[in-house]
Amino acid sequence: MKTEVAGNGKAEQGLDRRTIEKAYARWAPVYDLVFGPLFDVGRRTATNAATRIGGRILNVGVGTGLELPYFDKSHEVVGVDISEPMLRKAQERIEREKLANVKGLCVMDGANLAFADSSFDCVVAQFVITTVPQPEKTLDEFARVLKPGGEIVLVNHIGAERGLRASFERWFSQHARKLGWSPEFPFKRLSDWAEKNGSVRLVERRTVPPFGVFTLMRFCRDDAANAAPAAATA
Ligand SMILES: C[S@@+](CC[C@H](N)C(=O)[O-])C[C@H]1O[C@@H](n2cnc3c(N)ncnc32)[C@H](O)[C@@H]1O
């Protein structure tokens, strides 16, 4: 397994690279048991969306590789994750299930991807964007490595905007940090990012089971030739 490590993981909102590495080193032995079934519909939904795009797929935050068997075997998949213990589990799965379409696993920070611009048809991240120290920088990297016309597919718990659930998530967030997660992460942060980045637009947002607590989001990278023309200036 290639063990390239990029980025210094500057702390943001209490989530920093070391906290996340420590958290996922602890989760790795029991992750599949705890989060396997709970996240499975979301994981499959995002993988199906990525499969519809096909081509060369980058799976960021691949973890123990639970999603890897769901990709169409004719599509080339590369997986990256910041946690080496999680990736070791993914490597075991690739060997056990003979997933020849998975072309590589790399220890890599999603906020500093060591890939050339426009090198993937799809970037998919299942249950990842609220666990990274620098979400906007990470999403900028997703857009950079994506080919024009390609898609970023995310599935995640998104924080409630108001009501009891929003209050609970705000209170719980201080404890969740130690587990490597921001439960209060708002959708607005993603829509603001897309607007600021300028090369992508939201093409789908819908809730997925169980109980609609997870959200699937697809962002398409505009082909420069098809992008809406900029407003005329005097
Ligand atoms: C909740 S797990 C999701 C794993 C898998 N995608 C799934 O569906 O079960 C989040 C994963 O994101 C990884 N991760 C967190 N921060 C990361 C970063 N900055 N770059 C790459 N991976 C990161 C963690 O190590 C962990 O494996």
Side-chain angles (χ1 to χ4, degrees), residues 20-21 24 31 35 39 43 59-67 80-83 86 108-111 125-128 131-134 138 155 180:
I20 290 166
E21 283 172 339
Y24 283 98
Y31 184 88
F35 297 107
F39 289 176
R43 200 176 276 129
N59 193 170
V60 180
V62 61
T64 63
L66 283 163
E67 54 261 50
V80 302
D81 200 288
I82 211 164
S83 166
M86 294 287 276
M108 196 184 290
D109 184 350
Q126 293 99 329
F127 306 105
V128 174
T131 71
V132 302
Q134 299 163 284
T138 304
V155 69

PDB file of all heavy atoms in Angstrom, residues 20-21 24 31 35 39 43 59-67 80-83 86 108-111 125-128 131-134 138 155 180, ligand 1:
ATOM      1  N   ILE A  20      -8.597  13.360  14.216  1.00  0.00           N
ATOM      2  CA  ILE A  20      -9.278  12.445  13.285  1.00  0.00           C
ATOM      3  C   ILE A  20      -8.502  11.142  13.141  1.00  0.00           C
ATOM      4  O   ILE A  20      -9.070  10.052  13.179  1.00  0.00           O
ATOM      5  CB  ILE A  20      -9.500  13.157  11.938  1.00  0.00           C
ATOM      6  CG1 ILE A  20     -10.560  14.230  12.157  1.00  0.00           C
ATOM      7  CG2 ILE A  20      -9.962  12.190  10.864  1.00  0.00           C
ATOM      8  CD1 ILE A  20     -10.678  15.223  11.089  1.00  0.00           C
ATOM      9  N   GLU A  21      -7.182  11.259  13.013  1.00  0.00           N
ATOM     10  CA  GLU A  21      -6.365  10.038  12.883  1.00  0.00           C
ATOM     11  C   GLU A  21      -6.525   9.161  14.122  1.00  0.00           C
ATOM     12  O   GLU A  21      -6.671   7.942  14.015  1.00  0.00           O
ATOM     13  CB  GLU A  21      -4.901  10.401  12.665  1.00  0.00           C
ATOM     14  CG  GLU A  21      -4.632  10.840  11.242  1.00  0.00           C
ATOM     15  CD  GLU A  21      -3.230  11.386  11.043  1.00  0.00           C
ATOM     16  OE1 GLU A  21      -2.597  11.808  12.041  1.00  0.00           O
ATOM     17  OE2 GLU A  21      -2.777  11.409   9.908  1.00  0.00           O
ATOM     18  N   TYR A  24     -10.102   7.568  14.185  1.00  0.00           N
ATOM     19  CA  TYR A  24     -10.335   6.461  13.243  1.00  0.00           C
ATOM     20  C   TYR A  24      -9.401   5.276  13.481  1.00  0.00           C
ATOM     21  O   TYR A  24      -9.747   4.148  13.110  1.00  0.00           O
ATOM     22  CB  TYR A  24     -10.347   6.962  11.797  1.00  0.00           C
ATOM     23  CG  TYR A  24     -11.682   7.630  11.533  1.00  0.00           C
ATOM     24  CD1 TYR A  24     -11.828   9.006  11.603  1.00  0.00           C
ATOM     25  CD2 TYR A  24     -12.814   6.856  11.304  1.00  0.00           C
ATOM     26  CE1 TYR A  24     -13.070   9.606  11.440  1.00  0.00           C
ATOM     27  CE2 TYR A  24     -14.058   7.445  11.137  1.00  0.00           C
ATOM     28  CZ  TYR A  24     -14.183   8.822  11.207  1.00  0.00           C
ATOM     29  OH  TYR A  24     -15.413   9.404  11.055  1.00  0.00           O
ATOM     30  N   TYR A  31     -15.392  -0.591  13.153  1.00  0.00           N
ATOM     31  CA  TYR A  31     -16.153   0.320  12.295  1.00  0.00           C
ATOM     32  C   TYR A  31     -17.274  -0.391  11.528  1.00  0.00           C
ATOM     33  O   TYR A  31     -18.424   0.066  11.521  1.00  0.00           O
ATOM     34  CB  TYR A  31     -15.207   1.041  11.317  1.00  0.00           C
ATOM     35  CG  TYR A  31     -15.937   2.065  10.488  1.00  0.00           C
ATOM     36  CD1 TYR A  31     -16.101   3.371  10.954  1.00  0.00           C
ATOM     37  CD2 TYR A  31     -16.511   1.737   9.260  1.00  0.00           C
ATOM     38  CE1 TYR A  31     -16.802   4.306  10.220  1.00  0.00           C
ATOM     39  CE2 TYR A  31     -17.220   2.670   8.523  1.00  0.00           C
ATOM     40  CZ  TYR A  31     -17.359   3.950   9.003  1.00  0.00           C
ATOM     41  OH  TYR A  31     -18.069   4.875   8.280  1.00  0.00           O
ATOM     42  N   PHE A  35     -20.990   0.895  12.011  1.00  0.00           N
ATOM     43  CA  PHE A  35     -21.509   1.785  10.960  1.00  0.00           C
ATOM     44  C   PHE A  35     -21.859   1.073   9.655  1.00  0.00           C
ATOM     45  O   PHE A  35     -22.339   1.712   8.735  1.00  0.00           O
ATOM     46  CB  PHE A  35     -20.503   2.901  10.661  1.00  0.00           C
ATOM     47  CG  PHE A  35     -20.259   3.798  11.838  1.00  0.00           C
ATOM     48  CD1 PHE A  35     -19.070   3.732  12.547  1.00  0.00           C
ATOM     49  CD2 PHE A  35     -21.229   4.696  12.261  1.00  0.00           C
ATOM     50  CE1 PHE A  35     -18.832   4.548  13.644  1.00  0.00           C
ATOM     51  CE2 PHE A  35     -21.015   5.520  13.358  1.00  0.00           C
ATOM     52  CZ  PHE A  35     -19.813   5.445  14.053  1.00  0.00           C
ATOM     53  N   PHE A  39     -25.188   2.997   7.745  1.00  0.00           N
ATOM     54  CA  PHE A  39     -24.878   3.899   6.627  1.00  0.00           C
ATOM     55  C   PHE A  39     -25.083   3.231   5.264  1.00  0.00           C
ATOM     56  O   PHE A  39     -24.778   3.828   4.247  1.00  0.00           O
ATOM     57  CB  PHE A  39     -23.412   4.352   6.692  1.00  0.00           C
ATOM     58  CG  PHE A  39     -23.090   5.322   7.807  1.00  0.00           C
ATOM     59  CD1 PHE A  39     -21.775   5.730   8.020  1.00  0.00           C
ATOM     60  CD2 PHE A  39     -24.075   5.836   8.635  1.00  0.00           C
ATOM     61  CE1 PHE A  39     -21.454   6.618   9.033  1.00  0.00           C
ATOM     62  CE2 PHE A  39     -23.769   6.733   9.654  1.00  0.00           C
ATOM     63  CZ  PHE A  39     -22.452   7.126   9.856  1.00  0.00           C
ATOM     64  N   ARG A  43     -24.607   4.842   1.536  1.00  0.00           N
ATOM     65  CA  ARG A  43     -23.374   4.408   0.864  1.00  0.00           C
ATOM     66  C   ARG A  43     -23.688   3.862  -0.539  1.00  0.00           C
ATOM     67  O   ARG A  43     -23.048   4.215  -1.512  1.00  0.00           O
ATOM     68  CB  ARG A  43     -22.775   3.304   1.745  1.00  0.00           C
ATOM     69  CG  ARG A  43     -21.334   3.030   1.549  1.00  0.00           C
ATOM     70  CD  ARG A  43     -20.921   1.971   2.581  1.00  0.00           C
ATOM     71  NE  ARG A  43     -20.598   2.501   3.876  1.00  0.00           N
ATOM     72  CZ  ARG A  43     -21.122   2.048   5.041  1.00  0.00           C
ATOM     73  NH1 ARG A  43     -21.993   1.063   5.053  1.00  0.00           N
ATOM     74  NH2 ARG A  43     -20.740   2.587   6.173  1.00  0.00           N
ATOM     75  N   ASN A  59     -12.579   7.808  -4.740  1.00  0.00           N
ATOM     76  CA  ASN A  59     -13.400   7.633  -3.536  1.00  0.00           C
ATOM     77  C   ASN A  59     -12.598   8.191  -2.345  1.00  0.00           C
ATOM     78  O   ASN A  59     -11.633   7.587  -1.900  1.00  0.00           O
ATOM     79  CB  ASN A  59     -13.666   6.124  -3.369  1.00  0.00           C
ATOM     80  CG  ASN A  59     -14.752   5.804  -2.357  1.00  0.00           C
ATOM     81  OD1 ASN A  59     -15.182   4.655  -2.277  1.00  0.00           O
ATOM     82  ND2 ASN A  59     -15.199   6.775  -1.587  1.00  0.00           N
ATOM     83  N   VAL A  60     -12.998   9.384  -1.893  1.00  0.00           N
ATOM     84  CA  VAL A  60     -12.262  10.032  -0.792  1.00  0.00           C
ATOM     85  C   VAL A  60     -12.890   9.630   0.535  1.00  0.00           C
ATOM     86  O   VAL A  60     -14.109   9.608   0.677  1.00  0.00           O
ATOM     87  CB  VAL A  60     -12.271  11.573  -0.945  1.00  0.00           C
ATOM     88  CG1 VAL A  60     -11.493  12.220   0.202  1.00  0.00           C
ATOM     89  CG2 VAL A  60     -11.677  11.995  -2.277  1.00  0.00           C
ATOM     90  N   GLY A  61     -12.032   9.325   1.527  1.00  0.00           N
ATOM     91  CA  GLY A  61     -12.525   8.857   2.823  1.00  0.00           C
ATOM     92  C   GLY A  61     -13.124   7.467   2.670  1.00  0.00           C
ATOM     93  O   GLY A  61     -14.177   7.164   3.239  1.00  0.00           O
ATOM     94  N   VAL A  62     -12.423   6.627   1.934  1.00  0.00           N
ATOM     95  CA  VAL A  62     -12.925   5.279   1.616  1.00  0.00           C
ATOM     96  C   VAL A  62     -12.996   4.401   2.866  1.00  0.00           C
ATOM     97  O   VAL A  62     -13.728   3.415   2.899  1.00  0.00           O
ATOM     98  CB  VAL A  62     -12.050   4.637   0.502  1.00  0.00           C
ATOM     99  CG1 VAL A  62     -10.603   4.492   0.947  1.00  0.00           C
ATOM    100  CG2 VAL A  62     -12.585   3.298   0.054  1.00  0.00           C
ATOM    101  N   GLY A  63     -12.278   4.786   3.913  1.00  0.00           N
ATOM    102  CA  GLY A  63     -12.360   4.065   5.193  1.00  0.00           C
ATOM    103  C   GLY A  63     -11.985   2.598   5.052  1.00  0.00           C
ATOM    104  O   GLY A  63     -10.976   2.253   4.423  1.00  0.00           O
ATOM    105  N   THR A  64     -12.836   1.724   5.588  1.00  0.00           N
ATOM    106  CA  THR A  64     -12.563   0.277   5.532  1.00  0.00           C
ATOM    107  C   THR A  64     -13.023  -0.319   4.201  1.00  0.00           C
ATOM    108  O   THR A  64     -13.017  -1.535   4.042  1.00  0.00           O
ATOM    109  CB  THR A  64     -13.270  -0.453   6.689  1.00  0.00           C
ATOM    110  OG1 THR A  64     -14.691  -0.279   6.526  1.00  0.00           O
ATOM    111  CG2 THR A  64     -12.851   0.069   8.047  1.00  0.00           C
ATOM    112  N   GLY A  65     -13.495   0.528   3.296  1.00  0.00           N
ATOM    113  CA  GLY A  65     -13.837   0.065   1.946  1.00  0.00           C
ATOM    114  C   GLY A  65     -15.197  -0.593   1.833  1.00  0.00           C
ATOM    115  O   GLY A  65     -15.447  -1.333   0.886  1.00  0.00           O
ATOM    116  N   LEU A  66     -16.116  -0.283   2.762  1.00  0.00           N
ATOM    117  CA  LEU A  66     -17.444  -0.906   2.696  1.00  0.00           C
ATOM    118  C   LEU A  66     -18.138  -0.635   1.363  1.00  0.00           C
ATOM    119  O   LEU A  66     -18.917  -1.459   0.884  1.00  0.00           O
ATOM    120  CB  LEU A  66     -18.311  -0.395   3.852  1.00  0.00           C
ATOM    121  CG  LEU A  66     -18.018  -1.019   5.220  1.00  0.00           C
ATOM    122  CD1 LEU A  66     -18.613  -0.171   6.343  1.00  0.00           C
ATOM    123  CD2 LEU A  66     -18.555  -2.444   5.297  1.00  0.00           C
ATOM    124  N   GLU A  67     -17.868   0.543   0.756  1.00  0.00           N
ATOM    125  CA  GLU A  67     -18.542   0.890  -0.497  1.00  0.00           C
ATOM    126  C   GLU A  67     -17.879   0.261  -1.722  1.00  0.00           C
ATOM    127  O   GLU A  67     -18.480   0.227  -2.799  1.00  0.00           O
ATOM    128  CB  GLU A  67     -18.619   2.417  -0.694  1.00  0.00           C
ATOM    129  CG  GLU A  67     -17.308   3.182  -0.601  1.00  0.00           C
ATOM    130  CD  GLU A  67     -17.124   3.821   0.786  1.00  0.00           C
ATOM    131  OE1 GLU A  67     -17.278   3.111   1.794  1.00  0.00           O
ATOM    132  OE2 GLU A  67     -16.818   5.025   0.833  1.00  0.00           O
ATOM    133  N   VAL A  80      -8.758   6.970  -1.298  1.00  0.00           N
ATOM    134  CA  VAL A  80      -7.804   7.643  -0.403  1.00  0.00           C
ATOM    135  C   VAL A  80      -8.478   7.859   0.953  1.00  0.00           C
ATOM    136  O   VAL A  80      -9.700   7.964   1.053  1.00  0.00           O
ATOM    137  CB  VAL A  80      -7.297   9.007  -0.964  1.00  0.00           C
ATOM    138  CG1 VAL A  80      -6.637   8.825  -2.307  1.00  0.00           C
ATOM    139  CG2 VAL A  80      -8.401  10.041  -1.048  1.00  0.00           C
ATOM    140  N   ASP A  81      -7.636   7.914   1.974  1.00  0.00           N
ATOM    141  CA  ASP A  81      -8.133   8.160   3.326  1.00  0.00           C
ATOM    142  C   ASP A  81      -6.955   8.649   4.164  1.00  0.00           C
ATOM    143  O   ASP A  81      -5.804   8.319   3.901  1.00  0.00           O
ATOM    144  CB  ASP A  81      -8.704   6.867   3.934  1.00  0.00           C
ATOM    145  CG  ASP A  81      -9.646   7.144   5.094  1.00  0.00           C
ATOM    146  OD1 ASP A  81      -9.151   7.544   6.181  1.00  0.00           O
ATOM    147  OD2 ASP A  81     -10.865   6.993   4.918  1.00  0.00           O
ATOM    148  N   ILE A  82      -7.279   9.423   5.189  1.00  0.00           N
ATOM    149  CA  ILE A  82      -6.242   9.963   6.055  1.00  0.00           C
ATOM    150  C   ILE A  82      -5.790   8.932   7.099  1.00  0.00           C
ATOM    151  O   ILE A  82      -4.738   9.090   7.711  1.00  0.00           O
ATOM    152  CB  ILE A  82      -6.778  11.258   6.717  1.00  0.00           C
ATOM    153  CG1 ILE A  82      -5.654  12.231   6.974  1.00  0.00           C
ATOM    154  CG2 ILE A  82      -7.564  10.972   7.974  1.00  0.00           C
ATOM    155  CD1 ILE A  82      -6.157  13.629   7.262  1.00  0.00           C
ATOM    156  N   SER A  83      -6.590   7.890   7.268  1.00  0.00           N
ATOM    157  CA  SER A  83      -6.313   6.914   8.334  1.00  0.00           C
ATOM    158  C   SER A  83      -5.741   5.613   7.766  1.00  0.00           C
ATOM    159  O   SER A  83      -6.433   4.873   7.065  1.00  0.00           O
ATOM    160  CB  SER A  83      -7.612   6.615   9.098  1.00  0.00           C
ATOM    161  OG  SER A  83      -7.451   5.471   9.894  1.00  0.00           O
ATOM    162  N   MET A  86      -7.668   2.386   8.894  1.00  0.00           N
ATOM    163  CA  MET A  86      -8.907   2.162   8.129  1.00  0.00           C
ATOM    164  C   MET A  86      -8.545   1.578   6.757  1.00  0.00           C
ATOM    165  O   MET A  86      -9.182   0.629   6.285  1.00  0.00           O
ATOM    166  CB  MET A  86      -9.681   3.475   7.959  1.00  0.00           C
ATOM    167  CG  MET A  86     -10.232   4.069   9.250  1.00  0.00           C
ATOM    168  SD  MET A  86     -11.651   3.180   9.936  1.00  0.00           S
ATOM    169  CE  MET A  86     -13.009   3.887   9.021  1.00  0.00           C
ATOM    170  N   MET A 108      -3.881   9.728   2.264  1.00  0.00           N
ATOM    171  CA  MET A 108      -3.801  11.076   1.684  1.00  0.00           C
ATOM    172  C   MET A 108      -4.880  11.963   2.300  1.00  0.00           C
ATOM    173  O   MET A 108      -5.989  11.496   2.559  1.00  0.00           O
ATOM    174  CB  MET A 108      -4.026  10.984   0.167  1.00  0.00           C
ATOM    175  CG  MET A 108      -3.599  12.200  -0.600  1.00  0.00           C
ATOM    176  SD  MET A 108      -4.010  12.022  -2.365  1.00  0.00           S
ATOM    177  CE  MET A 108      -2.885  10.763  -2.884  1.00  0.00           C
ATOM    178  N   ASP A 109      -4.523  13.224   2.527  1.00  0.00           N
ATOM    179  CA  ASP A 109      -5.493  14.191   3.038  1.00  0.00           C
ATOM    180  C   ASP A 109      -6.341  14.696   1.868  1.00  0.00           C
ATOM    181  O   ASP A 109      -5.790  15.182   0.876  1.00  0.00           O
ATOM    182  CB  ASP A 109      -4.726  15.348   3.693  1.00  0.00           C
ATOM    183  CG  ASP A 109      -5.638  16.364   4.350  1.00  0.00           C
ATOM    184  OD1 ASP A 109      -6.875  16.292   4.150  1.00  0.00           O
ATOM    185  OD2 ASP A 109      -5.115  17.230   5.067  1.00  0.00           O
ATOM    186  N   GLY A 110      -7.659  14.593   1.999  1.00  0.00           N
ATOM    187  CA  GLY A 110      -8.553  15.065   0.941  1.00  0.00           C
ATOM    188  C   GLY A 110      -8.353  16.538   0.618  1.00  0.00           C
ATOM    189  O   GLY A 110      -8.719  16.987  -0.465  1.00  0.00           O
ATOM    190  N   ALA A 111      -7.775  17.286   1.543  1.00  0.00           N
ATOM    191  CA  ALA A 111      -7.561  18.719   1.307  1.00  0.00           C
ATOM    192  C   ALA A 111      -6.271  18.983   0.537  1.00  0.00           C
ATOM    193  O   ALA A 111      -5.968  20.134   0.203  1.00  0.00           O
ATOM    194  CB  ALA A 111      -7.541  19.474   2.633  1.00  0.00           C
ATOM    195  N   ALA A 125     -17.634  10.895  -1.975  1.00  0.00           N
ATOM    196  CA  ALA A 125     -17.215  10.874  -0.569  1.00  0.00           C
ATOM    197  C   ALA A 125     -18.450  10.570   0.287  1.00  0.00           C
ATOM    198  O   ALA A 125     -19.351  11.407   0.402  1.00  0.00           O
ATOM    199  CB  ALA A 125     -16.608  12.212  -0.182  1.00  0.00           C
ATOM    200  N   GLN A 126     -18.484   9.359   0.829  1.00  0.00           N
ATOM    201  CA  GLN A 126     -19.625   8.929   1.644  1.00  0.00           C
ATOM    202  C   GLN A 126     -19.322   9.153   3.126  1.00  0.00           C
ATOM    203  O   GLN A 126     -18.369   8.581   3.652  1.00  0.00           O
ATOM    204  CB  GLN A 126     -19.908   7.433   1.404  1.00  0.00           C
ATOM    205  CG  GLN A 126     -20.392   7.113   0.006  1.00  0.00           C
ATOM    206  CD  GLN A 126     -19.295   6.592  -0.898  1.00  0.00           C
ATOM    207  OE1 GLN A 126     -18.130   6.966  -0.745  1.00  0.00           O
ATOM    208  NE2 GLN A 126     -19.631   5.727  -1.831  1.00  0.00           N
ATOM    209  N   PHE A 127     -20.098  10.008   3.777  1.00  0.00           N
ATOM    210  CA  PHE A 127     -19.981  10.251   5.220  1.00  0.00           C
ATOM    211  C   PHE A 127     -18.592  10.781   5.576  1.00  0.00           C
ATOM    212  O   PHE A 127     -17.969  10.331   6.532  1.00  0.00           O
ATOM    213  CB  PHE A 127     -20.315   8.965   6.004  1.00  0.00           C
ATOM    214  CG  PHE A 127     -21.651   8.398   5.618  1.00  0.00           C
ATOM    215  CD1 PHE A 127     -21.748   7.271   4.825  1.00  0.00           C
ATOM    216  CD2 PHE A 127     -22.810   9.036   6.007  1.00  0.00           C
ATOM    217  CE1 PHE A 127     -22.981   6.768   4.434  1.00  0.00           C
ATOM    218  CE2 PHE A 127     -24.058   8.548   5.626  1.00  0.00           C
ATOM    219  CZ  PHE A 127     -24.140   7.409   4.828  1.00  0.00           C
ATOM    220  N   VAL A 128     -18.111  11.738   4.795  1.00  0.00           N
ATOM    221  CA  VAL A 128     -16.746  12.231   4.970  1.00  0.00           C
ATOM    222  C   VAL A 128     -16.696  13.735   5.237  1.00  0.00           C
ATOM    223  O   VAL A 128     -15.959  14.186   6.119  1.00  0.00           O
ATOM    224  CB  VAL A 128     -15.885  11.882   3.719  1.00  0.00           C
ATOM    225  CG1 VAL A 128     -14.496  12.502   3.804  1.00  0.00           C
ATOM    226  CG2 VAL A 128     -15.782  10.371   3.550  1.00  0.00           C
ATOM    227  N   THR A 131     -16.358  15.236   8.548  1.00  0.00           N
ATOM    228  CA  THR A 131     -15.285  14.730   9.420  1.00  0.00           C
ATOM    229  C   THR A 131     -13.935  15.355   9.073  1.00  0.00           C
ATOM    230  O   THR A 131     -12.956  15.098   9.765  1.00  0.00           O
ATOM    231  CB  THR A 131     -15.133  13.188   9.307  1.00  0.00           C
ATOM    232  OG1 THR A 131     -14.573  12.869   8.032  1.00  0.00           O
ATOM    233  CG2 THR A 131     -16.454  12.466   9.470  1.00  0.00           C
ATOM    234  N   VAL A 132     -13.868  16.143   7.988  1.00  0.00           N
ATOM    235  CA  VAL A 132     -12.562  16.667   7.576  1.00  0.00           C
ATOM    236  C   VAL A 132     -12.281  17.998   8.271  1.00  0.00           C
ATOM    237  O   VAL A 132     -13.194  18.778   8.521  1.00  0.00           O
ATOM    238  CB  VAL A 132     -12.455  16.826   6.031  1.00  0.00           C
ATOM    239  CG1 VAL A 132     -12.695  15.503   5.331  1.00  0.00           C
ATOM    240  CG2 VAL A 132     -13.414  17.873   5.507  1.00  0.00           C
ATOM    241  N   PRO A 133     -11.015  18.293   8.578  1.00  0.00           N
ATOM    242  CA  PRO A 133     -10.708  19.554   9.258  1.00  0.00           C
ATOM    243  C   PRO A 133     -11.001  20.782   8.403  1.00  0.00           C
ATOM    244  O   PRO A 133     -11.350  21.827   8.921  1.00  0.00           O
ATOM    245  CB  PRO A 133      -9.201  19.460   9.542  1.00  0.00           C
ATOM    246  CG  PRO A 133      -8.856  18.018   9.416  1.00  0.00           C
ATOM    247  CD  PRO A 133      -9.834  17.421   8.451  1.00  0.00           C
ATOM    248  N   GLN A 134     -10.865  20.673   7.069  1.00  0.00           N
ATOM    249  CA  GLN A 134     -11.022  21.854   6.201  1.00  0.00           C
ATOM    250  C   GLN A 134     -11.993  21.525   5.055  1.00  0.00           C
ATOM    251  O   GLN A 134     -11.572  21.257   3.929  1.00  0.00           O
ATOM    252  CB  GLN A 134      -9.657  22.236   5.627  1.00  0.00           C
ATOM    253  CG  GLN A 134      -8.640  22.592   6.698  1.00  0.00           C
ATOM    254  CD  GLN A 134      -7.232  22.561   6.135  1.00  0.00           C
ATOM    255  OE1 GLN A 134      -6.656  21.495   5.918  1.00  0.00           O
ATOM    256  NE2 GLN A 134      -6.688  23.721   5.885  1.00  0.00           N
ATOM    257  N   THR A 138     -11.123  21.035   1.059  1.00  0.00           N
ATOM    258  CA  THR A 138     -11.270  19.662   0.561  1.00  0.00           C
ATOM    259  C   THR A 138     -12.158  19.642  -0.683  1.00  0.00           C
ATOM    260  O   THR A 138     -11.837  19.006  -1.682  1.00  0.00           O
ATOM    261  CB  THR A 138     -11.864  18.781   1.691  1.00  0.00           C
ATOM    262  OG1 THR A 138     -11.008  18.898   2.827  1.00  0.00           O
ATOM    263  CG2 THR A 138     -11.980  17.333   1.280  1.00  0.00           C
ATOM    264  N   VAL A 155     -22.610  12.021   0.263  1.00  0.00           N
ATOM    265  CA  VAL A 155     -23.749  11.641   1.099  1.00  0.00           C
ATOM    266  C   VAL A 155     -23.307  11.858   2.534  1.00  0.00           C
ATOM    267  O   VAL A 155     -22.180  11.561   2.895  1.00  0.00           O
ATOM    268  CB  VAL A 155     -24.231  10.198   0.836  1.00  0.00           C
ATOM    269  CG1 VAL A 155     -23.256   9.142   1.290  1.00  0.00           C
ATOM    270  CG2 VAL A 155     -25.592   9.955   1.480  1.00  0.00           C
ATOM    271  N   GLY A 180     -14.507  12.514  15.998  1.00  0.00           N
ATOM    272  CA  GLY A 180     -14.072  12.893  14.658  1.00  0.00           C
ATOM    273  C   GLY A 180     -15.217  13.288  13.744  1.00  0.00           C
ATOM    274  O   GLY A 180     -15.224  12.946  12.567  1.00  0.00           O
TER     275      GLY A 180
HETATM  276  C1  LIG B   1     -17.375   8.114   8.723  1.00  0.00           C
HETATM  277  S1  LIG B   1     -15.990   7.441   7.886  1.00  0.00           S
HETATM  278  C2  LIG B   1     -16.689   6.995   6.304  1.00  0.00           C
HETATM  279  C3  LIG B   1     -16.004   5.786   5.712  1.00  0.00           C
HETATM  280  C4  LIG B   1     -16.695   5.206   4.465  1.00  0.00           C
HETATM  281  N1  LIG B   1     -16.746   6.172   3.385  1.00  0.00           N
HETATM  282  C5  LIG B   1     -18.092   4.707   4.793  1.00  0.00           C
HETATM  283  O1  LIG B   1     -19.031   5.026   4.051  1.00  0.00           O
HETATM  284  O2  LIG B   1     -18.232   3.964   5.749  1.00  0.00           O
HETATM  285  C6  LIG B   1     -15.061   8.897   7.473  1.00  0.00           C
HETATM  286  C7  LIG B   1     -13.722   8.576   6.813  1.00  0.00           C
HETATM  287  O3  LIG B   1     -13.132   9.791   6.361  1.00  0.00           O
HETATM  288  C8  LIG B   1     -11.747   9.749   6.622  1.00  0.00           C
HETATM  289  N2  LIG B   1     -11.215  11.118   6.659  1.00  0.00           N
HETATM  290  C9  LIG B   1     -11.406  12.057   7.610  1.00  0.00           C
HETATM  291  N3  LIG B   1     -10.745  13.183   7.288  1.00  0.00           N
HETATM  292  C10 LIG B   1     -10.133  12.949   6.103  1.00  0.00           C
HETATM  293  C11 LIG B   1      -9.301  13.742   5.252  1.00  0.00           C
HETATM  294  N4  LIG B   1      -8.981  14.999   5.553  1.00  0.00           N
HETATM  295  N5  LIG B   1      -8.848  13.186   4.121  1.00  0.00           N
HETATM  296  C12 LIG B   1      -9.177  11.912   3.782  1.00  0.00           C
HETATM  297  N6  LIG B   1      -9.958  11.119   4.543  1.00  0.00           N
HETATM  298  C13 LIG B   1     -10.429  11.633   5.695  1.00  0.00           C
HETATM  299  C14 LIG B   1     -11.663   9.027   7.975  1.00  0.00           C
HETATM  300  O4  LIG B   1     -10.380   8.524   8.224  1.00  0.00           O
HETATM  301  C15 LIG B   1     -12.719   7.943   7.793  1.00  0.00           C
HETATM  302  O5  LIG B   1     -12.187   6.764   7.237  1.00  0.00           O
END
